[in-house]
Amino acid sequence: MRYLVTNGRLPLKLLTRTLLSIGVSMLLLALIFRLAASAGDELNIASVVDTLRRIALPLAGVYVLLQLLGAVFRAARFRVLLQAATSAPLPVFIHIYLATVVRNMAVDLLPARLGELAFAAMLNRRHRVPLDACIASLGVSVWFDLLVLAPIVAVLLLLPSGNVVSHGQILAMVVALALLAALGFWLIYHVLPAAAGYLQKHTAAVRSPTATKLVAFLDKFAVAVGSTRRRGVFARCVLLSLGARLCKYGGMYAIYIAVTAPSFAVMANVPLSGIMTALIASEATASLPIPAFMGFGSYEVGGVAALVALGYAAAESAITVFSVHVASQIVDYVLGGLAFVGFMFLGVQIASPERPPAAVRRRWAVAAASVLVLGIAFVIDQYRDYRAVRLNVPPPAGNPVAIAPQRQQRVTAALDGASGFVVWSSNRFGNHDILSMSLPDFQVRRLTIHPHAEYFPRISPDGTRIAFARSQPPWVSQRNPLLWDVYVLNLKTGRERLLARNATAPTWSHDGQYVYVQRNGGEFVQVDANSGANRLLMKSGTAPVPSKVILQTPSFNDRSRQLAATYRGARRMTALLTLDGVERRVAKGCQLTWAPNGEFLYWVDRGGRQTNRIMRIDPHLGEARAWLDLPGRFSHEYFPKLSNDGRILVLGASAGGHEHDVADYELFLWRVGEPASTAVRLTFHTGNDNWPDLYLHPR
């Protein structure tokens, strides 16, 4: 407290330490993000912002109510401990309650829970409660929190673990917590008084005022702690501590589900034992003496490590833990700020200590500045991603650009006398709609006009219908596999109908009788294109699909009964699956797709000028080879799709942007087997064009 104000100026030491803690937090978060990226996952601040914007507000409200109720239990416990520690008059309960809410806000503001001292400062300065009694109540409260944590964890032994946390692991945690509680009891009730008596006896001759004050305070603190044991408050404090802990973890569970339920089905379905393990691990690492600002970075280390150790994907674990931390901190600081105002804490001018030597100050300043510069670089890097994703609103519609000369001739040559049409998703009219372009005359038609986003159009084998996905809210990032429904549009009548709820990435059977969809992230479902009757073919957690896996862009060969899929979630790769339970890894990359005749697979993988290229593999021989890498400026390839006869590949490519539904992707046609330089650009618009499909009329 003595460093807070010095002649009306913020002292250099406090400033440099604050900057250092901010920098350390940024570096820890950067490390977590980069480790997730090195594992092949996609993670950025924009993902976190998008997650927070979709938070379930009713559950967040439950967190607020439980925080307020938990503060009642904590404040009652503080009052009991203060009454046991001092005979001085105490303020009315509402003042202790407000100070407790402020304490909840400030507990992680400084490393090793030193922010709790705000509680002691407020009661001491405004209400003259003895400082030794305030700090004694804080110290003993920590021990009571640890004591009741052991039985709370033990209850998890009675819950189904869901193969996430074994009962043996939970039992080990209970034993460790019990040992820590016993050690804490021995330290505060036996070692502390003995140490205070020893110092009081052997430093009597020391004339240093600082040492004398320190020893005197330690002695008062030991007496205050001892009085909490002698005055029979143990049972009441245990019950109050249990209430506070139940409210705390109940609230954290509510905010965890509020964050994950709208965005990450896999993370929302983590068993209670796994969620509690992650929350306790986060709390433990945030309490370590790591100079992290508001616990950011140190909190995430524990929670992410726990979830990854339990088998969950690094990226989704990091987004989940970071979002939970941000959401809880927002609530805690709003409540704490209101409580601080209510407490009417006006501040006190405090004499400054002697200033440290200039050389020491310079070293602190250089260290803090260096770490802060690295942290700022991380923020700038993430801000670029943040701007790219554009939060949770549609990206700018863009504008037409000049069409390249001789496009007509080049497209005609590529079609080799064939005619047909391309369908794709584009935001050039505002939100993403499904568009159609007839070939070779380039007439563009808007097939859907709807306020919600649409993407992933796929043409039926006879060319008369398209299946596509439509978002449930007005706009959803295509990274989210959950908030979509699949529709079928009749191209002759213009009528559309809902085919499957909570589904996306539709594809057709070779005879047009069925549409295959990805449902609820981890399910692969066959839907009758006429009746809507559905049949579950594969599901995450059931052989051959590993548990906690999201099946992206599934492509089914209904002749060989093999599914080509991209794994996201707990694992990241492309795989070939059979209905009888066989899984075979194909490669890394994404968008693994069967050729129309089922002879080979193709997908997007790393390599080439703009880091992407199209690969091809014969599933029988297992020989992968580079298939297409565009040579021009637009060489970040995505969304490859062969025409219905397999002769022409249509795809999207950007000049460097990556985000599927934001970047300026243009559509290209390539006649299979020709040099990559013969690929011809179809679209000329700065908006986003993605997920094309090509139908060629039989000749």
Side-chain angles (χ1 to χ4, degrees):
M1 294 296 295
R2 61 182 183 176
Y3 292 110
L4 288 181
V5 179
T6 305
N7 297 326
R9 295 177 300 176
L10 200 64
L12 177 63
K13 191 172 183 179
L14 176 60
L15 177 62
T16 53
R17 285 186 175 180
T18 301
L19 294 178
L20 179 64
S21 65
I22 293 173
V24 168
S25 291
M26 290 179 177
L27 287 181
L28 287 173
L29 291 172
L31 178 63
I32 294 171
F33 279 35
R34 293 312 175 199
L35 286 176
S38 67
D41 293 319
E42 296 174 351
L43 172 64
N44 49 52
I45 291 296
S47 305
V48 177
V49 175
D50 192 45
T51 300
L52 289 172
R53 286 178 65 89
R54 292 196 298 268
I55 193 169
L57 293 180
L59 285 172
V62 173
Y63 173 76
V64 174
L65 293 176
L66 287 174
Q67 283 293 95
L68 294 173
L69 178 59
V72 173
F73 286 107
R74 287 187 180 277
R77 184 182 63 184
F78 281 135
R79 183 170 180 81
V80 169
L81 291 173
L82 287 170
Q83 287 175 332
T86 180
S87 58
L90 299 178
V92 295
F93 180 79
I94 186 61
H95 289 282
I96 299 178
Y97 177 78
L98 292 174
T100 301
V101 176
V102 174
R103 172 261 174 208
N104 294 345
M105 172 189 73
V107 63
D108 292 328
L109 187 60
L110 298 174
R113 302 173 63 97
L114 292 178
E116 283 190 305
L117 295 177
F119 173 85
M122 292 171 69
L123 294 183
N124 175 254
R125 291 292 182 179
R126 184 151 184 87
H127 296 285
R128 303 303 179 192
V129 179
L131 190 61
D132 52 289
C134 293
I135 296 178
S137 66
L138 288 171
V140 176
S141 292
V142 173
W143 178 75
F144 275 110
D145 284 336
L146 186 63
L147 180 67
V148 299
L149 185 58
I152 290 176
V153 175
V155 171
L156 297 178
L157 284 168
L158 305 177
L159 300 176
S161 65
N163 295 321
V164 174
V165 185
S166 70
H167 286 173
Q169 290 173 308
I170 297 177
L171 182 60
M173 293 172 59
V174 172
V175 172
L177 289 169
L179 291 175
L180 284 174
L183 178 61
F185 181 85
W186 179 65
L187 288 175
I188 64 175
Y189 286 120
H190 293 280
V191 175
L192 179 62
Y198 177 85
L199 292 175
Q200 187 74 20
K201 180 178 179 180
H202 290 83
T203 59
V206 177
R207 297 183 178 180
S208 169
T210 301
T212 301
K213 291 180 180 179
L214 179 61
V215 171
F217 175 79
L218 184 61
D219 183 62
K220 291 180 180 179
F221 177 67
V223 171
V225 168
S227 64
T228 62
R229 181 186 178 188
R230 293 189 299 270
R231 296 194 180 184
V233 299
F234 181 84
R236 279 184 292 167
C237 286
V238 167
L239 292 176
L240 291 171
S241 300
L242 186 61
R245 277 284 161 175
L246 290 176
C247 288
K248 176 183 177 65
Y249 288 120
M252 292 305 296
Y253 179 76
I255 199 70
Y256 177 96
I257 299 300
V259 165
T260 57
S263 301
F264 304 110
V266 172
M267 303 308 296
N269 289 322
V270 175
L272 178 60
S273 56
I275 295 174
M276 293 302 299
T277 299
L279 294 176
I280 292 172
S282 291
E283 183 183 20
T285 52
S287 299
L288 296 175
I290 300 173
F293 185 67
M294 296 170 59
F296 281 106
S298 58
Y299 183 93
E300 284 70 19
V301 165
V304 174
L307 289 173
V308 170
L310 296 175
Y312 294 91
E316 291 190 0
S317 299
I319 293 174
T320 295
V321 176
F322 187 44
S323 299
V324 166
H325 192 190
V326 171
S328 62
Q329 289 285 60
I330 290 173
V331 171
D332 292 349
Y333 273 80
V334 169
L335 296 180
L338 294 174
F340 186 79
V341 172
F343 192 82
M344 301 175 63
F345 182 69
L346 301 177
V348 178
Q349 292 287 331
I350 304 169
S352 63
E354 293 184 4
R355 300 183 67 190
V360 175
R361 297 199 304 272
R362 284 195 297 270
R363 284 196 295 269
W364 270 99
V366 170
S370 300
V371 175
L372 188 62
V373 166
L374 294 174
I376 290 174
F378 164 65
V379 170
I380 293 173
D381 176 65
Q382 292 301 311
Y383 183 65
R384 289 198 297 264
D385 291 330
Y386 165 83
R387 287 179 59 86
V389 177
R390 305 282 302 182
L391 297 177
N392 196 30
V393 296
N399 299 289
V401 296
I403 297 175
Q406 299 182 338
R407 179 181 68 158
Q408 177 77 46
Q409 297 90 323
R410 296 189 64 192
V411 170
T412 301
L415 293 174
D416 190 25
S419 64
F421 62 97
V422 174
V423 295
W424 76 99
S425 172
S426 177
N427 74 325
R428 62 182 63 186
F429 296 105
N431 214 339
H432 279 79
D433 297 302
I434 306 301
L435 307 187
S436 171
M437 176 190 289
S438 58
L439 297 175
D441 58 3
F442 305 108
Q443 295 299 310
V444 175
R445 187 161 61 105
R446 193 174 173 185
L447 297 181
T448 61
I449 302 175
H450 196 278
H452 291 198
E454 294 139 340
Y455 88 115
F456 214 95
R458 288 296 179 257
I459 307 171
S460 64
D462 61 2
T464 63
R465 296 170 292 175
I466 63 168
F468 63 93
R470 174 175 289 156
S471 65
Q472 294 170 0
W475 192 86
V476 177
S477 168
Q478 291 176 14
R479 291 179 180 273
N480 187 331
L482 301 179
L483 303 180
W484 302 90
D485 300 319
V486 168
Y487 288 76
V488 171
L489 172 67
N490 188 308
L491 296 176
K492 293 181 178 180
T493 65
R495 294 177 181 175
E496 64 179 44
R497 60 187 176 86
L498 176 65
L499 186 66
R501 290 281 189 190
N502 302 315
T504 186
T507 56
W508 292 87
S509 63
H510 77 279
D511 57 5
Q513 181 179 355
Y514 300 108
V515 174
Y516 302 103
V517 300
Q518 173 205 32
R519 188 175 67 186
N520 296 325
E523 299 176 350
F524 180 65
V525 180
Q526 173 184 284
V527 185
D528 189 291
N530 296 310
S531 67
N534 63 83
R535 176 189 172 199
L536 179 65
L537 298 182
M538 294 188 189
K539 182 179 180 181
S540 176
T542 303
V545 187
S547 62
K548 301 183 287 292
V549 158
I550 295 174
L551 293 172
Q552 278 192 351
T553 61
S555 175
F556 191 56
N557 184 339
D558 56 1
R559 295 182 178 91
S560 66
R561 309 298 286 174
Q562 291 178 300
L563 177 67
T566 299
Y567 284 1
R568 290 297 183 263
R571 297 173 64 182
R572 185 181 178 92
M573 67 181 193
T574 52
L576 197 58
L577 311 167
T578 63
L579 296 181
D580 56 1
V582 177
E583 177 199 49
R584 173 186 162 195
R585 184 181 187 276
V586 175
K588 294 183 179 179
C590 60
Q591 299 174 13
L592 185 66
T593 308
W594 280 104
N597 57 13
E599 291 183 357
F600 63 92
L601 295 156
Y602 57 96
W603 74 98
V604 178
D605 214 328
R606 293 291 184 180
R609 180 183 176 190
Q610 294 269 359
T611 71
N612 274 14
R613 60 183 174 180
I614 310 301
M615 302 290 292
R616 168 176 170 163
I617 190 172
D618 184 325
H620 304 292
L621 300 177
E623 297 177 357
R625 61 183 177 88
W627 197 31
L628 177 65
D629 189 9
L630 297 180
R633 183 168 65 95
F634 287 86
S635 185
H636 190 77
E637 296 91 353
Y638 263 113
F639 327 120
K641 181 65 170 63
L642 280 168
S643 60
N644 53 305
D645 61 5
R647 293 191 301 113
I648 297 178
L649 184 76
V650 63
L651 70 152
S654 78
H658 171 78
E659 201 67 26
H660 293 179
D661 48 3
V662 173
D664 178 15
Y665 283 98
E666 303 291 344
L667 302 187
F668 289 77
L669 284 182
W670 175 63
R671 188 174 175 182
V672 174
E674 297 293 326
S677 59
T678 63
V680 57
R681 180 174 169 181
L682 280 181
T683 57
F684 293 82
H685 200 283
T686 60
N688 174 255
D689 297 306
N690 62 42
W691 297 108
D693 192 11
L694 171 62
Y695 181 84
L696 296 178
H697 298 298
R699 291 190 288 183

